[in-house]
Short mmCIF file of all heavy atoms in Angstrom, two decimals:
data_model
loop_
_atom_site.label_atom_id
_atom_site.label_comp_id
_atom_site.label_asym_id
_atom_site.label_seq_id
_atom_site.Cartn_x
_atom_site.Cartn_y
_atom_site.Cartn_z
N VAL A 8 101.28 108.90 115.02
CA VAL A 8 102.63 108.23 115.07
C VAL A 8 103.53 109.08 114.21
O VAL A 8 103.37 109.27 113.07
CB VAL A 8 102.53 106.80 114.55
CG1 VAL A 8 103.87 106.15 114.47
CG2 VAL A 8 101.55 105.90 115.34
N LEU A 9 104.57 109.50 114.92
CA LEU A 9 105.60 110.31 114.14
C LEU A 9 106.77 109.51 113.84
O LEU A 9 107.51 108.95 114.65
CB LEU A 9 106.08 111.48 115.11
CG LEU A 9 104.99 112.51 115.44
CD1 LEU A 9 104.34 112.25 116.75
CD2 LEU A 9 105.52 113.94 115.35
N GLY A 10 107.04 109.46 112.52
CA GLY A 10 108.10 108.62 111.98
C GLY A 10 107.52 107.32 111.45
O GLY A 10 107.03 106.50 112.17
N LEU A 11 107.59 107.15 110.07
CA LEU A 11 106.98 105.94 109.48
C LEU A 11 107.98 105.10 108.89
O LEU A 11 107.97 104.73 107.66
CB LEU A 11 105.90 106.43 108.37
CG LEU A 11 104.72 107.23 108.97
CD1 LEU A 11 103.85 107.67 107.89
CD2 LEU A 11 103.95 106.36 110.04
N GLY A 12 109.02 104.70 109.66
CA GLY A 12 110.07 103.84 109.15
C GLY A 12 109.87 102.36 109.61
O GLY A 12 108.74 101.95 109.78
N TYR A 13 110.96 101.67 109.81
CA TYR A 13 110.83 100.28 110.09
C TYR A 13 110.01 100.03 111.39
O TYR A 13 109.43 98.97 111.54
CB TYR A 13 112.26 99.63 110.31
CG TYR A 13 112.96 99.56 109.05
CD1 TYR A 13 113.91 100.54 108.53
CD2 TYR A 13 112.85 98.33 108.27
CE1 TYR A 13 114.56 100.40 107.34
CE2 TYR A 13 113.53 98.27 107.02
CZ TYR A 13 114.38 99.31 106.63
OH TYR A 13 115.03 99.16 105.41
N ILE A 14 110.04 100.95 112.34
CA ILE A 14 109.29 100.78 113.55
C ILE A 14 107.97 101.47 113.49
O ILE A 14 106.89 100.92 113.81
CB ILE A 14 110.15 101.35 114.81
CG1 ILE A 14 111.39 100.56 114.96
CG2 ILE A 14 109.33 101.31 116.03
CD1 ILE A 14 111.26 99.11 115.16
N GLY A 15 108.01 102.82 113.10
CA GLY A 15 106.70 103.53 113.13
C GLY A 15 105.63 103.02 112.17
O GLY A 15 104.42 102.94 112.57
N LEU A 16 106.01 102.61 111.00
CA LEU A 16 105.03 102.16 110.06
C LEU A 16 104.26 100.93 110.51
O LEU A 16 103.04 100.80 110.47
CB LEU A 16 105.63 102.03 108.68
CG LEU A 16 104.64 101.72 107.49
CD1 LEU A 16 103.58 102.82 107.43
CD2 LEU A 16 105.40 101.57 106.22
N PRO A 17 105.01 99.87 110.89
CA PRO A 17 104.37 98.67 111.41
C PRO A 17 103.47 99.05 112.69
O PRO A 17 102.32 98.57 112.80
CB PRO A 17 105.45 97.73 111.83
CG PRO A 17 106.59 98.12 111.10
CD PRO A 17 106.51 99.65 110.86
N VAL A 32 102.63 110.20 110.52
CA VAL A 32 103.32 111.42 110.14
C VAL A 32 104.73 111.16 109.77
O VAL A 32 105.49 110.44 110.51
CB VAL A 32 103.26 112.50 111.30
CG1 VAL A 32 104.01 113.75 110.87
CG2 VAL A 32 101.89 112.75 111.73
N ASP A 33 105.18 111.65 108.65
CA ASP A 33 106.64 111.56 108.28
C ASP A 33 107.02 112.90 107.60
O ASP A 33 106.28 113.41 106.70
CB ASP A 33 106.93 110.35 107.43
CG ASP A 33 108.35 109.97 107.55
OD1 ASP A 33 109.32 110.71 107.18
OD2 ASP A 33 108.61 108.87 108.11
N VAL A 34 108.18 113.39 108.02
CA VAL A 34 108.67 114.69 107.43
C VAL A 34 109.28 114.46 106.05
O VAL A 34 109.49 115.36 105.34
CB VAL A 34 109.73 115.35 108.33
CG1 VAL A 34 109.06 115.86 109.58
CG2 VAL A 34 110.86 114.36 108.62
N ASP A 35 109.50 113.18 105.67
CA ASP A 35 110.00 112.90 104.35
C ASP A 35 108.88 112.79 103.35
O ASP A 35 108.07 111.90 103.31
CB ASP A 35 110.79 111.55 104.43
CG ASP A 35 111.57 111.26 103.15
OD1 ASP A 35 111.07 111.77 102.09
OD2 ASP A 35 112.51 110.52 103.22
N ARG A 36 108.85 113.78 102.45
CA ARG A 36 107.81 113.87 101.50
C ARG A 36 107.66 112.62 100.63
O ARG A 36 106.59 112.10 100.31
CB ARG A 36 108.10 115.05 100.56
CG ARG A 36 107.05 115.48 99.46
CD ARG A 36 105.88 115.93 100.21
NE ARG A 36 104.74 115.76 99.39
CZ ARG A 36 104.12 116.79 98.79
NH1 ARG A 36 104.51 118.01 99.01
NH2 ARG A 36 103.03 116.56 98.04
N VAL A 38 108.36 109.55 101.49
CA VAL A 38 107.66 108.45 102.24
C VAL A 38 106.20 108.70 102.21
O VAL A 38 105.39 107.70 101.98
CB VAL A 38 108.24 108.49 103.69
CG1 VAL A 38 107.40 107.57 104.64
CG2 VAL A 38 109.63 108.09 103.74
N HIS A 48 107.65 101.90 101.28
CA HIS A 48 109.03 102.27 100.92
C HIS A 48 110.13 101.39 101.56
O HIS A 48 111.32 101.56 101.30
CB HIS A 48 109.26 103.75 101.29
CG HIS A 48 109.13 103.99 102.73
ND1 HIS A 48 107.95 103.85 103.43
CD2 HIS A 48 110.04 104.34 103.73
CE1 HIS A 48 108.13 104.11 104.67
NE2 HIS A 48 109.34 104.38 104.91
N ILE A 49 109.75 100.49 102.49
CA ILE A 49 110.77 99.61 103.06
C ILE A 49 110.25 98.21 102.98
O ILE A 49 109.05 97.91 102.84
CB ILE A 49 110.90 99.98 104.54
CG1 ILE A 49 109.54 100.11 105.27
CG2 ILE A 49 111.80 101.19 104.74
CD1 ILE A 49 109.74 100.44 106.77
N SER A 70 100.38 111.77 106.65
CA SER A 70 100.41 113.20 106.56
C SER A 70 101.88 113.71 106.85
O SER A 70 102.69 112.93 107.40
CB SER A 70 99.47 113.89 107.64
OG SER A 70 99.75 115.20 107.68
N GLU A 71 102.19 114.91 106.38
CA GLU A 71 103.51 115.48 106.75
C GLU A 71 103.44 116.19 108.06
O GLU A 71 104.50 116.59 108.57
CB GLU A 71 103.95 116.37 105.60
CG GLU A 71 104.57 115.68 104.47
CD GLU A 71 104.88 116.64 103.33
OE1 GLU A 71 105.97 117.18 103.31
OE2 GLU A 71 104.03 116.86 102.49
N PRO A 73 101.66 116.58 112.16
CA PRO A 73 100.84 116.00 113.17
C PRO A 73 99.55 116.74 113.32
O PRO A 73 99.37 117.90 112.87
CB PRO A 73 101.75 116.15 114.44
CG PRO A 73 102.91 116.84 114.07
CD PRO A 73 102.90 117.23 112.65
N ILE A 81 106.33 108.59 119.26
CA ILE A 81 107.48 109.09 118.54
C ILE A 81 108.37 107.97 118.15
O ILE A 81 108.96 107.30 119.05
CB ILE A 81 108.19 110.17 119.37
CG1 ILE A 81 107.24 111.35 119.66
CG2 ILE A 81 109.48 110.69 118.64
CD1 ILE A 81 107.84 112.43 120.62
N ALA A 82 108.59 107.69 116.94
CA ALA A 82 109.48 106.62 116.47
C ALA A 82 110.36 107.12 115.32
O ALA A 82 110.42 106.57 114.23
CB ALA A 82 108.62 105.40 115.97
N VAL A 83 111.17 108.11 115.74
CA VAL A 83 112.09 108.74 114.70
C VAL A 83 113.49 108.18 114.98
O VAL A 83 113.79 107.63 115.99
CB VAL A 83 112.03 110.25 114.85
CG1 VAL A 83 110.65 110.79 114.48
CG2 VAL A 83 112.44 110.76 116.25
N PRO A 84 114.44 108.40 114.02
CA PRO A 84 115.74 107.84 114.15
C PRO A 84 116.54 108.49 115.33
O PRO A 84 116.34 109.67 115.63
CB PRO A 84 116.42 108.20 112.82
CG PRO A 84 115.42 108.64 111.89
CD PRO A 84 114.23 109.21 112.77
N THR A 85 117.44 107.72 115.86
CA THR A 85 118.39 108.14 116.84
C THR A 85 119.80 107.68 116.49
O THR A 85 120.32 106.77 117.11
CB THR A 85 118.08 107.72 118.30
OG1 THR A 85 117.64 106.32 118.24
CG2 THR A 85 116.97 108.52 118.91
N PRO A 86 120.37 108.26 115.39
CA PRO A 86 121.67 107.81 114.96
C PRO A 86 122.81 108.39 115.91
O PRO A 86 122.56 109.14 116.79
CB PRO A 86 121.82 108.39 113.53
CG PRO A 86 120.96 109.64 113.61
CD PRO A 86 119.87 109.34 114.57
N SER A 98 118.55 115.12 117.44
CA SER A 98 117.87 116.20 116.79
C SER A 98 116.52 115.76 116.23
O SER A 98 115.54 116.54 116.14
CB SER A 98 118.75 116.78 115.62
OG SER A 98 119.02 115.77 114.63
N TYR A 99 116.40 114.46 115.78
CA TYR A 99 115.06 113.99 115.29
C TYR A 99 114.04 113.90 116.43
O TYR A 99 112.87 114.25 116.23
CB TYR A 99 115.27 112.63 114.60
CG TYR A 99 116.19 112.64 113.40
CD1 TYR A 99 117.58 112.27 113.62
CD2 TYR A 99 115.76 113.05 112.17
CE1 TYR A 99 118.46 112.29 112.60
CE2 TYR A 99 116.67 113.00 111.15
CZ TYR A 99 117.98 112.62 111.32
OH TYR A 99 118.89 112.68 110.28
N VAL A 100 114.51 113.48 117.56
CA VAL A 100 113.60 113.29 118.68
C VAL A 100 113.14 114.73 119.17
O VAL A 100 112.02 114.94 119.43
CB VAL A 100 114.34 112.59 119.91
CG1 VAL A 100 113.55 112.62 121.20
CG2 VAL A 100 114.60 111.12 119.53
N ILE A 101 114.05 115.65 119.14
CA ILE A 101 113.78 117.10 119.58
C ILE A 101 112.77 117.67 118.58
O ILE A 101 111.73 118.15 118.98
CB ILE A 101 115.07 117.86 119.56
CG1 ILE A 101 115.96 117.42 120.78
CG2 ILE A 101 114.80 119.39 119.75
CD1 ILE A 101 117.34 117.95 120.81
N ALA A 102 113.01 117.45 117.25
CA ALA A 102 112.15 118.04 116.27
C ALA A 102 110.71 117.42 116.35
O ALA A 102 109.71 118.19 116.26
CB ALA A 102 112.72 117.90 114.85
N ALA A 103 110.68 116.15 116.53
CA ALA A 103 109.38 115.47 116.59
C ALA A 103 108.65 115.96 117.87
O ALA A 103 107.45 116.21 117.79
CB ALA A 103 109.58 113.95 116.62
N SER A 104 109.34 116.05 118.98
CA SER A 104 108.69 116.46 120.21
C SER A 104 108.22 117.95 120.01
O SER A 104 107.05 118.30 120.42
CB SER A 104 109.67 116.49 121.41
OG SER A 104 110.27 115.28 121.49
N GLU A 105 109.00 118.80 119.39
CA GLU A 105 108.53 120.19 119.13
C GLU A 105 107.26 120.19 118.25
O GLU A 105 106.36 121.00 118.49
CB GLU A 105 109.67 120.97 118.44
CG GLU A 105 110.76 121.31 119.41
CD GLU A 105 111.98 121.90 118.79
OE1 GLU A 105 112.16 121.89 117.50
OE2 GLU A 105 112.84 122.45 119.55
N SER A 106 107.19 119.25 117.28
CA SER A 106 106.02 119.33 116.38
C SER A 106 104.76 118.85 117.05
O SER A 106 103.68 119.11 116.64
CB SER A 106 106.28 118.46 115.18
OG SER A 106 106.30 117.11 115.40
N LEU A 119 107.59 107.90 123.82
CA LEU A 119 108.85 107.88 123.02
C LEU A 119 109.25 106.40 122.81
O LEU A 119 109.33 105.66 123.80
CB LEU A 119 109.99 108.65 123.74
CG LEU A 119 111.35 108.63 123.08
CD1 LEU A 119 111.30 109.37 121.75
CD2 LEU A 119 112.36 109.21 123.99
N GLU A 120 109.29 106.06 121.58
CA GLU A 120 109.82 104.65 121.24
C GLU A 120 111.15 104.60 120.74
O GLU A 120 111.85 103.57 120.74
CB GLU A 120 108.83 104.02 120.16
CG GLU A 120 107.57 103.52 120.62
CD GLU A 120 107.01 102.33 119.85
OE1 GLU A 120 107.78 101.75 119.02
OE2 GLU A 120 105.86 102.03 119.98
N SER A 121 111.74 105.75 120.26
CA SER A 121 113.08 105.70 119.77
C SER A 121 114.12 105.35 120.82
O SER A 121 114.02 105.73 121.97
CB SER A 121 113.51 107.15 119.31
OG SER A 121 112.58 107.59 118.32
N THR A 122 115.04 104.52 120.46
CA THR A 122 116.09 104.08 121.37
C THR A 122 116.88 105.32 121.73
O THR A 122 117.46 105.98 120.88
CB THR A 122 117.00 103.00 120.76
OG1 THR A 122 116.19 101.96 120.24
CG2 THR A 122 118.00 102.49 121.66
N SER A 123 117.06 105.60 123.02
CA SER A 123 117.59 106.90 123.44
C SER A 123 118.59 106.74 124.59
O SER A 123 118.44 105.78 125.42
CB SER A 123 116.51 107.81 123.85
OG SER A 123 115.61 107.93 122.79
N TYR A 151 108.02 106.01 128.17
CA TYR A 151 108.98 105.60 127.17
C TYR A 151 108.91 104.07 127.09
O TYR A 151 108.76 103.32 128.09
CB TYR A 151 110.41 105.91 127.78
CG TYR A 151 111.51 105.36 126.87
CD1 TYR A 151 111.80 105.86 125.68
CD2 TYR A 151 112.29 104.21 127.38
CE1 TYR A 151 112.82 105.33 124.91
CE2 TYR A 151 113.27 103.71 126.52
CZ TYR A 151 113.54 104.24 125.31
OH TYR A 151 114.57 103.75 124.54
N PRO A 153 110.84 101.28 124.74
CA PRO A 153 111.74 100.95 123.63
C PRO A 153 111.17 99.78 122.80
O PRO A 153 110.57 98.87 123.31
CB PRO A 153 112.99 100.59 124.40
CG PRO A 153 112.57 100.10 125.71
CD PRO A 153 111.34 100.81 126.06
N GLU A 154 111.43 99.81 121.50
CA GLU A 154 111.08 98.78 120.61
C GLU A 154 112.16 97.72 120.59
O GLU A 154 113.32 98.06 120.56
CB GLU A 154 110.75 99.37 119.25
CG GLU A 154 110.01 98.42 118.35
CD GLU A 154 108.78 97.83 119.11
OE1 GLU A 154 107.80 98.54 119.29
OE2 GLU A 154 108.86 96.63 119.37
N ARG A 155 111.74 96.42 120.69
CA ARG A 155 112.81 95.38 120.65
C ARG A 155 112.52 94.31 119.60
O ARG A 155 112.94 93.16 119.78
CB ARG A 155 112.90 94.77 122.06
CG ARG A 155 111.75 94.95 122.93
CD ARG A 155 111.64 93.97 124.01
NE ARG A 155 112.51 94.18 125.10
CZ ARG A 155 112.31 93.85 126.32
NH1 ARG A 155 111.12 93.25 126.60
NH2 ARG A 155 113.17 94.06 127.30
N VAL A 156 111.81 94.72 118.52
CA VAL A 156 111.50 93.78 117.52
C VAL A 156 112.68 93.38 116.65
O VAL A 156 113.68 94.13 116.54
CB VAL A 156 110.42 94.33 116.49
CG1 VAL A 156 109.11 94.40 117.19
CG2 VAL A 156 110.86 95.69 115.96
N LEU A 157 112.62 92.20 116.04
CA LEU A 157 113.71 91.69 115.13
C LEU A 157 113.29 91.93 113.70
O LEU A 157 112.27 91.42 113.28
CB LEU A 157 113.92 90.15 115.40
CG LEU A 157 114.91 89.48 114.56
CD1 LEU A 157 116.37 89.94 115.03
CD2 LEU A 157 114.79 87.95 114.70
N PRO A 158 114.02 92.74 112.96
CA PRO A 158 113.75 92.98 111.59
C PRO A 158 113.64 91.59 110.85
O PRO A 158 114.37 90.67 111.03
CB PRO A 158 114.94 93.77 110.98
CG PRO A 158 115.49 94.46 112.21
CD PRO A 158 115.21 93.50 113.39
N GLY A 159 112.61 91.48 109.97
CA GLY A 159 112.30 90.23 109.33
C GLY A 159 111.11 89.58 110.08
O GLY A 159 110.47 88.77 109.39
N ILE A 161 109.15 91.62 112.39
CA ILE A 161 108.64 92.74 113.16
C ILE A 161 107.12 92.57 113.42
O ILE A 161 106.63 92.78 114.56
CB ILE A 161 108.83 94.04 112.35
CG1 ILE A 161 110.35 94.42 112.42
CG2 ILE A 161 108.08 95.25 112.96
CD1 ILE A 161 110.79 95.69 111.68
N LYS A 207 116.85 98.74 127.31
CA LYS A 207 116.98 98.59 125.85
C LYS A 207 118.55 98.68 125.54
O LYS A 207 119.00 97.87 124.72
CB LYS A 207 116.23 99.81 125.21
CG LYS A 207 116.54 99.87 123.74
CD LYS A 207 115.88 98.77 122.94
CE LYS A 207 116.33 98.82 121.55
NZ LYS A 207 115.82 97.74 120.71
N ASN A 211 121.01 95.57 123.72
CA ASN A 211 121.77 95.64 122.49
C ASN A 211 123.25 95.55 122.74
O ASN A 211 124.07 94.99 121.93
CB ASN A 211 121.44 96.83 121.71
CG ASN A 211 120.09 96.61 120.97
OD1 ASN A 211 119.62 95.53 120.84
ND2 ASN A 211 119.44 97.72 120.63
N GLY A 259 123.32 97.72 111.29
CA GLY A 259 121.95 98.09 111.60
C GLY A 259 121.86 99.31 112.49
O GLY A 259 122.89 99.84 112.97
N HIS A 260 120.64 99.74 112.69
CA HIS A 260 120.38 101.11 113.41
C HIS A 260 120.42 100.86 114.95
O HIS A 260 120.25 101.81 115.68
CB HIS A 260 119.11 101.59 112.97
CG HIS A 260 118.80 102.99 113.45
ND1 HIS A 260 119.77 103.97 113.39
CD2 HIS A 260 117.76 103.57 114.01
CE1 HIS A 260 119.26 105.13 113.89
NE2 HIS A 260 118.03 104.82 114.24
N CYS A 261 120.65 99.59 115.39
CA CYS A 261 120.56 99.41 116.82
C CYS A 261 121.80 98.86 117.46
O CYS A 261 122.49 99.65 118.14
CB CYS A 261 119.38 98.36 117.17
SG CYS A 261 117.77 98.99 116.69
N ILE A 264 125.02 100.85 117.29
CA ILE A 264 125.03 102.28 117.77
C ILE A 264 124.70 102.38 119.23
O ILE A 264 125.33 103.16 119.96
CB ILE A 264 123.89 103.00 117.00
CG1 ILE A 264 124.26 103.15 115.45
CG2 ILE A 264 123.51 104.38 117.59
CD1 ILE A 264 123.24 103.79 114.65
N ASP A 265 123.69 101.68 119.64
CA ASP A 265 123.18 101.83 121.01
C ASP A 265 124.21 101.66 122.13
O ASP A 265 124.22 102.41 123.19
CB ASP A 265 122.04 100.92 121.32
CG ASP A 265 120.93 101.14 120.35
OD1 ASP A 265 120.92 102.17 119.67
OD2 ASP A 265 119.98 100.33 120.28
N PHE A 268 125.51 104.85 123.39
CA PHE A 268 124.69 105.62 124.23
C PHE A 268 124.99 105.42 125.73
O PHE A 268 124.87 106.29 126.55
CB PHE A 268 123.17 105.43 123.99
CG PHE A 268 122.71 105.80 122.58
CD1 PHE A 268 121.40 105.53 122.21
CD2 PHE A 268 123.58 106.36 121.69
CE1 PHE A 268 120.95 105.88 120.94
CE2 PHE A 268 123.19 106.72 120.42
CZ PHE A 268 121.79 106.44 120.00
N TYR A 317 122.60 94.68 106.39
CA TYR A 317 123.34 94.38 107.59
C TYR A 317 123.06 93.01 108.15
O TYR A 317 123.78 92.58 109.01
CB TYR A 317 123.11 95.54 108.63
CG TYR A 317 121.89 95.36 109.53
CD1 TYR A 317 121.97 94.64 110.70
CD2 TYR A 317 120.65 95.80 109.10
CE1 TYR A 317 120.86 94.50 111.49
CE2 TYR A 317 119.50 95.59 109.85
CZ TYR A 317 119.68 94.96 111.07
OH TYR A 317 118.55 94.73 111.85
N ASP A 323 117.59 96.46 104.93
CA ASP A 323 118.17 97.61 105.72
C ASP A 323 119.67 97.66 105.56
O ASP A 323 120.43 96.71 105.86
CB ASP A 323 117.79 97.41 107.19
CG ASP A 323 118.02 98.63 108.04
OD1 ASP A 323 118.79 99.58 107.55
OD2 ASP A 323 117.51 98.73 109.16
N ARG A 325 121.61 100.22 106.74
CA ARG A 325 122.24 101.13 107.68
C ARG A 325 123.41 100.51 108.46
O ARG A 325 123.24 99.43 108.99
CB ARG A 325 121.20 101.74 108.66
CG ARG A 325 120.22 102.75 107.92
CD ARG A 325 119.14 103.21 108.80
NE ARG A 325 118.22 102.12 109.17
CZ ARG A 325 117.22 102.29 109.99
NH1 ARG A 325 116.95 103.47 110.55
NH2 ARG A 325 116.39 101.31 110.27
N1 LIG B 501 114.81 99.27 112.88
C1 LIG B 501 114.87 98.42 113.93
O1 LIG B 501 114.96 97.26 113.81
C2 LIG B 501 114.72 98.99 115.31
C3 LIG B 501 114.46 98.12 116.38
C4 LIG B 501 114.34 98.59 117.70
C5 LIG B 501 114.35 100.02 117.82
N2 LIG B 501 114.58 100.83 116.81
C6 LIG B 501 114.65 102.25 117.15
O2 LIG B 501 113.45 102.85 116.66
C7 LIG B 501 113.76 104.18 116.23
C8 LIG B 501 113.32 104.36 114.76
O3 LIG B 501 114.12 103.52 113.96
P1 LIG B 501 113.63 103.12 112.49
O4 LIG B 501 114.50 101.89 112.11
O5 LIG B 501 112.17 102.96 112.41
O6 LIG B 501 114.05 104.40 111.75
P2 LIG B 501 113.71 104.80 110.11
O7 LIG B 501 114.77 105.65 109.64
O8 LIG B 501 113.38 103.62 109.37
O9 LIG B 501 112.35 105.71 110.27
C9 LIG B 501 112.34 106.88 110.85
C10 LIG B 501 111.39 107.80 110.09
O10 LIG B 501 111.19 108.93 110.90
C11 LIG B 501 111.08 110.07 109.95
N3 LIG B 501 111.23 111.22 110.72
C12 LIG B 501 112.39 111.96 111.03
N4 LIG B 501 112.10 113.03 111.74
C13 LIG B 501 110.83 113.16 111.92
C14 LIG B 501 109.91 114.09 112.52
N5 LIG B 501 110.38 115.13 113.12
N6 LIG B 501 108.65 113.84 112.39
C15 LIG B 501 108.14 112.70 111.76
N7 LIG B 501 108.87 111.83 111.18
C16 LIG B 501 110.24 111.99 111.24
C17 LIG B 501 112.08 109.75 108.87
O11 LIG B 501 111.82 110.49 107.70
C18 LIG B 501 111.99 108.28 108.74
O12 LIG B 501 111.03 107.93 107.70
C19 LIG B 501 115.26 104.47 116.41
O13 LIG B 501 115.52 104.99 117.63
C20 LIG B 501 115.79 103.00 116.45
O14 LIG B 501 116.98 102.89 117.22
C21 LIG B 501 114.74 100.38 115.53
#
Side-chain angles (χ1 to χ4, degrees):
V8 177
L9 292 100
L11 297 176
Y13 288 93
I14 298 302
L16 186 57
V32 179
D33 204 292
V34 289
D35 185 335
R36 184 68 203 252
V38 170
H48 61 294
I49 47 179
S70 169
E71 279 175 87
I81 298 175
V83 296
T85 42
S98 60
Y99 300 94
V100 169
I101 291 170
S104 306
E105 286 171 346
S106 73
L119 178 65
E120 279 209 15
S121 302
T122 307
S123 304
Y151 174 72
E154 195 46 74
R155 20 158 76 153
V156 288
L157 178 70
I161 290 181
K207 171 72 189 174
N211 285 343
H260 188 46
C261 294
I264 291 178
D265 301 348
F268 296 177
Y317 85 91
D323 195 342
R325 289 176 292 179

